[in-house]
Amino acid sequence: MPTLADDLQTWLAQNRGRIGKLALEPRLEHIGRVARIGDGVATVSGLPETRLDELLVFESGVRGLAVDLGEQAIGCVLLGNTGGIAAGSIARGTGEVARVPVGDVLLGRVVDALGVPLDGGAPVAVETLAPVEQPAPAIVDRALVTRPLETGLLVVDSMVPLGRGQRELIIGDRGTGKTAIAVDAIINQRSTDVICVYAAVGQKGSSVAQVIAAVRRYGAPERSIFVIGEADAAPGLQWLTPYSACTMAEHFMGRGRDVLLVIDDLTKHAAAYRQISLLLRRPPGREAYPGDIFYIHSRLLERAAKLAPERGGGSLTALPIAETQAGIISAYIPTNLISITDGQIYLDPAVDVGKSVSRVGGKTQAPVLQSLAESLRLDYAQFLELEVFTRFGTMVDERTRKVIEHGRRIRAVLRQPQFAPLALGEQVALLTAVSEGVLDDVPLDRVDVFRECLGAWLPEHCPELVALDDRATKLSEDMHDRLTTTLRALAGSVAMPTTTDRP
Ligand SMILES: Nc1ncnc2c1ncn2[C@@H]1O[C@H](COP(=O)(O)OP(=O)(O)OP(=O)(O)O)[C@@H](O)[C@H]1O
Ligand SMILES: [Mg+2]
């Protein structure tokens, strides 16, 4: 009978063999300790090897980014909540930069800045990871912006047209419809193959939910990604959100796709960065923002590009949003962003055509639209100026009255409801109606009905117009005449309210 000593011997022999087979290897780990913690930032000492933007992992599993390298300690932005981290806790250097999942697995998903799902769905099946900070494409890798990115908003597409690969700032006071313009642009991509990435920074949960619901209802959610850093997320996560979203968008650009990136909004992004910087005791500059605030936005927006054909020819169009206070666009962050982007759409609260510009998109506008939009801006500007006079009850001559009545119809046509982007054919028809004076006999309050009826009317009466694409050239004379006749008939039928219109 085996004794206890024999058992022990056998056990030892077995386990010696097992340990011998184990592949043991030495691993070098950098371990530091938290010196100070709070408000989303931590100071860590004992990690002299750490490099800028290196990812650190804390004892609680929360990750952080080293953004400030001092001689004694490093400043670290936390990418999660501070719970579970205390002074003296251990922090490990990883030797890596922050990376996020990229690829088709993200399409249709709602994630945070680290790619963690927020939609209650399964974890993102990571196939490829890409660093959140990447250098912008070099000049030789870029090509001219040639194709338009249609937003479906007549006022934008006709007067401040955007090109694929352009950066256009949407700027305005609180509640002027900045998000609405961006969301309509995303929704309009349901009829294109453009992939949309919506990055929310410092937004209320309810606003974000509305955007997601609108895209799911009216747009192409299977081709959209939502990257969310809500107002109550850690400041580090909010700060990282646009970079992560940009990386997710770049992945598709690199594969030859056209991508639209909306960043809502960079004013809140700047505020999150200011908060982090002040907590890290960096010297404050103008409006208490740190000195590199311009750089952090420019290095983000420079990543928007139209790639050369030998690089796949993809494009990344960026629509950053900025909020102004009391309409002052000369404040620090707005002027920074205006100088970084290729133009701006200024909301006051309607699109202010005089202050909105697009420095690139004009050349890409569909030629058929271009020929109609040429005089529109001028006519509209002239009307706005004349209208100011009539506000004081000035008597005007017949010609001026006509210009004003015509201008009012332009404005009525440009005023568009939410979630109802217009196809190119509809835009061409509307602008033809304006330029031919078809609407001048339609009462102002019936112009909306005219626009609503147009969608169903066109396929029946002018099918060629429905087939227009962004390369279509100016309408032939014959086509133009037929369209005008059709539009006149439609105008006649909507000019008088019928009993069925009334509620
Ligand atoms: N074309 C439109 N027609 C009717 N209502 C609109 C239109 N565009 C925006 N709105 C309404 O205006 C309100 C403000 O819009 P939105 O939230 O887009 O503004 P914002 O500038 O993004 O606001 P914030 O500064 O709070 O982010 C919303 O209630 C929205 O439904
Ligand atoms: Mg908004």
Side-chain angles (χ1 to χ4, degrees), residues 178-179 203 264-265 321:
K178 304 182 294 296
T179 306
Q203 300 289 326
D264 192 3
D265 64 66
I321 296 179

Side-chain angles (χ1 to χ4, degrees), residues 449-463:
V449 184
F450 178 85
R451 186 182 37 228
E452 278 162 31
C453 294
L454 200 63
W457 180 275
L458 275 185
E460 209 178 308
H461 296 86
C462 248

Side-chain angles (χ1 to χ4, degrees), residues 173-180 203 323 416-418:
D173 276 5
R174 287 215 59 186
T176 45
K178 304 182 294 296
T179 306
Q203 300 289 326
E323 186 183 304
Q416 214 173 309
Q418 266 184 291

